[in-house]
């Protein structure tokens, strides 16, 4: 089975913790702090590999983790950065956040490389926290936590033109005639179980990429049969060739077939049904004598609605060239802009502290207000308090999480000291 969908787990590397240590050398009895910074965690990076055309590798490996940064060392030595993890995908892969189904990245067009999750920043060593009043700080900043996501990968083929229609109407036969593609062809439903791509080259006209989308059935938009597995591949196409069996060799009415497939396209994605399309009335070589010519019926029904009907025979090639030149000229009038799925989910702004606990207490012995807990430690790991922007974020964090209210409830006054993991601040409203 063609692998065009996969669910995987990715995790960036955790930042290494800053180190607490003090200079200890002969003749230097009271050396200052010399704890080194932690290394940065590795990133999760997706890259397009032109040699891949399916997502089959993700059926065997479902967890991808970047390396954590090393902890800082003595003598101001910085920890080693964690190695990035590179995940290779075929062109046309859309990366979504699994729970919300929102697009994070579309690996197509110019987007050949995407840093999906940044690794955690390494924590500062205690050398950074020495002040005139605290010359021997016993605190180092923890490394920024790793980030993790469950992802849904969907491969949506990149083609200019999509061939749609019921099974056994001749899509694969047409593709094999007009391109170098060699799809397997046989006379049973769902013959084609994966999209086949081919390039149409024509003298004196611009070529284009055409995709044979496997046969659809009614209910495909609700996932009946293999509907969802195939409909996603039409989403990038600019133009549709709707192939019908004009000879009704399987006893179906070609006009009803067209309306049925159009309904499925509209249910799946309203934009699909509005894409430019033509009708290829195939198997005209098999039309027996009928009271009403089926091609005339199709033209009378659809051409007044602006949809051209081309009688063709995919087997003999009759009428095919004229149709291809029409498609090529129609594509020339369209904007040459690839269909790209815009980003809807932004991992960098999805930092949440969840329901991690914290405590706000008063230390009578030290006469300090103490704020501690996993949520506070995470916040310190994410925040650069030495920058103005970081300090404003720190203040907003305290306010939005109700910490300032709790301090006031304990009776804090302006000028009182607040301590968080070795860091001390004077409280001012």
């Amino acid at each position: 089975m063609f692998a065009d969908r996969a669910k995987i787990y990715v995790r960036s590397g955790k930042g290494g913790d800053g180190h607490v240590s003090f200079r200890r050398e002969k003749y230097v009895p009271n050396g200052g702090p010399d704890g080194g910074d932690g290394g940065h965690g590795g990133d999760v990076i997706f890259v397009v590999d032109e040699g891949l055309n399916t997502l089959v590798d993700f059926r065997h490996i479902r967890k991808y983790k970047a390396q954590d940064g090393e902890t800082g060392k003595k003598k101001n030595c910085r920890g080693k950065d964690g190695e990035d993890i590179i995940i290779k995908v075929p062109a046309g892969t859309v990366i979504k956040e699994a729970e919300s189904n929102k697009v994070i990245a579309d690996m197509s067009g110019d987007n050949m490389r995407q840093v999906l999750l940044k690794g955690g920043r390494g924590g500062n060593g205690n050398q950074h926290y020495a002040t005139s009043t605290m010359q021997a700080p016993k605190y180092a900043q923890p490394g920024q936590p790793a980030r993790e996501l469950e992802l849904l990968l969907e491969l949506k083929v990149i083609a200019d033109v999509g061939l749609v229609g019921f099974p056994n109407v001749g899509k694969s036969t047409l593709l094999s005639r007009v391109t170098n593609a060699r799809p397997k062809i046989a006379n049973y439903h769902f013959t084609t179980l994966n999209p086949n791509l081919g390039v149409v080259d024509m003298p004196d006209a611009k070529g284009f990429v055409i995709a044979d989308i496997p046969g659809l059935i009614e209910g495909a938009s609700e996932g009946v049969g293999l509907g969802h597995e195939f409909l996603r591949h039409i989403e990038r196409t600019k133009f549709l060739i709707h192939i019908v069996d004009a000879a009704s060799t399987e006893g179906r009415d070609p006009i009803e077939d067209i309306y049925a497939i159009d309904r499925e396209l509209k249910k799946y994605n309203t934009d699909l049904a509005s894409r430019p399309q033509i009708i290829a009335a195939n198997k005209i070589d098999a039309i027996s004598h009928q009271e009403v010519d089926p091609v005339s019926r199709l033209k009378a029904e659809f051409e007044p609605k602006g949809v051209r009907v081309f009688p063709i025979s995919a087997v003999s090639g009759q009428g095919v060239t004229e149709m291809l030149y029409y498609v090529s000229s129609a594509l020339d009038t369209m904007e040459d802009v690839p269909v790209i799925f815009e980003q809807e989910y932004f991992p960098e702004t999805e930092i949440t502290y969840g329901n991690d606990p914290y405590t706000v207490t008063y230390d009578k012995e030290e006469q300090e207000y103490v704020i501690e807990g996993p949520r506070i430690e995470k916040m310190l790991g994410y925040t650069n308090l030495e920058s103005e922007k970081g300090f404003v974020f720190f203040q907003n964090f305290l306010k939005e999480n109700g910490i300032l209210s709790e301090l006031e409830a304990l009776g804090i006054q302006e000028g009182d000291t607040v301590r968080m993991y070795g860091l001390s601040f004077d409280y001012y409203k």
Side-chain angles (χ1 to χ4, degrees):
M1 181 67 177
F2 179 68
D4 59 358
R5 204 163 184 263
K7 194 172 186 179
I8 64 171
Y9 164 87
V10 295
R11 174 190 175 277
S12 64
K14 176 190 178 299
D17 294 337
H19 188 64
V20 176
S21 64
F22 298 90
R23 187 176 170 201
R24 293 287 182 266
E25 294 179 28
K26 197 174 182 181
Y27 309 119
V28 186
N30 297 311
D34 69 349
D37 300 343
H40 299 323
D43 299 339
V44 176
I45 303 172
F46 280 80
V47 297
V48 171
D49 186 336
E50 300 289 357
L52 298 176
N53 56 19
T54 79
L55 300 175
V56 67
D57 291 346
F58 297 100
R59 291 191 171 181
H60 309 296
I61 305 174
R62 295 181 182 270
K63 291 187 177 181
Y64 297 83
K65 296 180 181 180
Q67 193 176 40
D68 293 339
E70 284 188 354
T71 302
K73 307 285 193 298
K74 295 180 179 179
K75 298 182 180 180
N76 298 327
C77 289
R78 186 174 181 276
K80 184 180 176 183
D81 290 343
E83 288 187 13
D84 300 333
I85 185 164
I86 308 293
I87 303 174
K88 296 179 180 180
V89 293
T93 301
V94 176
I95 304 168
K96 297 181 177 182
E97 195 275 324
E99 186 176 349
S100 66
N101 207 38
K102 290 182 177 178
V103 175
I104 301 175
D106 185 349
M107 305 303 292
S108 60
D110 295 330
N111 190 25
M112 304 291 284
R113 184 178 187 274
Q114 175 93 19
V115 179
L116 199 89
L117 289 180
K118 292 286 292 180
R121 192 173 62 241
N124 290 330
N126 70 331
Q127 56 171 311
H128 292 277
Y129 301 105
T131 65
S132 58
T133 58
M134 187 191 296
Q135 297 183 8
K138 297 179 181 179
Y139 168 80
Q141 189 182 37
Q144 192 178 35
R147 296 189 177 199
E148 56 186 3
L149 277 176
E150 264 206 312
L151 302 176
L152 186 62
L153 306 183
E154 289 186 351
L155 179 58
K156 300 176 190 283
V157 298
I158 301 173
D160 301 303
V161 178
L163 301 179
V164 297
F166 272 79
N168 299 328
V169 293
K171 296 188 303 299
S172 298
T173 304
L174 178 63
L175 186 74
S176 63
R177 169 165 286 281
V178 302
T179 73
N180 289 324
R182 293 289 176 265
K184 294 179 180 179
I185 301 168
N187 188 31
Y188 51 89
H189 288 299
F190 289 116
T191 298
T192 309
L193 288 181
N194 58 279
N196 291 294
L197 292 179
V199 179
V200 177
D201 289 317
M202 297 179 297
D204 306 320
K206 188 178 178 181
F208 53 88
V209 179
I210 194 168
D212 161 26
I213 308 301
L216 301 175
I217 59 174
E218 289 190 79
S221 58
E222 280 86 36
V224 174
L226 298 175
H228 276 162
E229 305 302 314
F230 301 148
L231 280 165
R232 72 172 60 96
H233 295 292
I234 314 173
E235 291 186 72
R236 288 195 199 273
T237 57
K238 302 174 188 174
F239 196 94
L240 299 177
I241 299 178
H242 199 138
I243 304 184
V244 291
D245 176 5
S248 299
T249 57
E250 294 195 349
R252 290 197 313 270
D253 179 5
I255 290 177
E256 286 303 315
D257 278 6
I258 291 169
Y259 282 128
I261 296 299
D262 276 346
R263 282 193 297 271
E264 295 307 316
L265 296 178
K266 193 174 291 185
K267 286 178 189 174
Y268 182 75
N269 183 337
T270 52
D271 182 49
L272 283 179
S274 62
R275 302 249 169 109
Q277 66 171 285
I278 60 171
I279 294 168
N282 191 27
K283 303 189 182 182
I284 58 172
D285 53 310
I287 295 176
S288 57
H289 177 70
Q290 299 180 24
E291 288 185 13
V292 180
D293 176 29
V295 174
S296 298
R297 282 183 64 224
L298 286 165
K299 287 187 174 185
E301 182 71 24
F302 295 103
E303 290 198 339
K305 298 175 182 178
V307 181
R308 285 282 301 273
V309 176
F310 289 86
I312 67 163
S313 169
V315 172
S316 69
Q318 183 182 347
V320 171
T321 302
E322 180 190 354
M323 180 182 73
L324 294 178
Y325 273 105
Y326 177 86
V327 173
S328 178
S329 64
L331 289 172
D332 279 341
T333 65
M334 297 179 188
E335 251 189 305
D336 191 20
V337 178
V339 177
I340 303 292
F341 295 89
E342 295 297 326
Q343 186 171 5
E344 302 167 319
Y345 185 95
F346 299 84
E348 288 301 315
T349 62
E350 293 292 326
I351 300 173
T352 57
Y353 299 97
N355 295 316
D356 290 337
Y358 67 87
T359 59
V360 180
T361 57
Y362 180 65
D363 185 338
K364 289 183 180 179
E365 187 176 331
E366 298 290 336
Q367 295 187 337
E368 291 179 335
Y369 292 85
V370 182
I371 307 172
E372 292 180 315
R375 190 185 309 190
I376 308 303
E377 192 170 4
K378 281 185 182 180
M379 181 276 295
L380 291 172
Y382 275 114
T383 310
N384 178 12
L385 296 178
E386 294 173 11
S387 73
E388 183 180 351
K389 186 177 178 181
F391 198 77
V392 169
F393 174 81
F394 163 70
Q395 289 178 311
N396 288 336
F397 172 86
L398 296 180
K399 183 178 180 180
E400 291 169 4
N401 284 270
I403 295 171
L404 293 183
S405 298
E406 293 194 35
L407 288 170
E408 289 170 3
L410 287 174
I412 195 167
Q413 301 295 319
E414 289 199 1
D416 287 349
T417 301
V418 178
R419 188 177 77 234
M420 295 185 193
Y421 289 94
L423 293 176
S424 295
F425 304 92
D426 290 334
Y427 173 79
Y428 291 102
K429 271 196 173 185

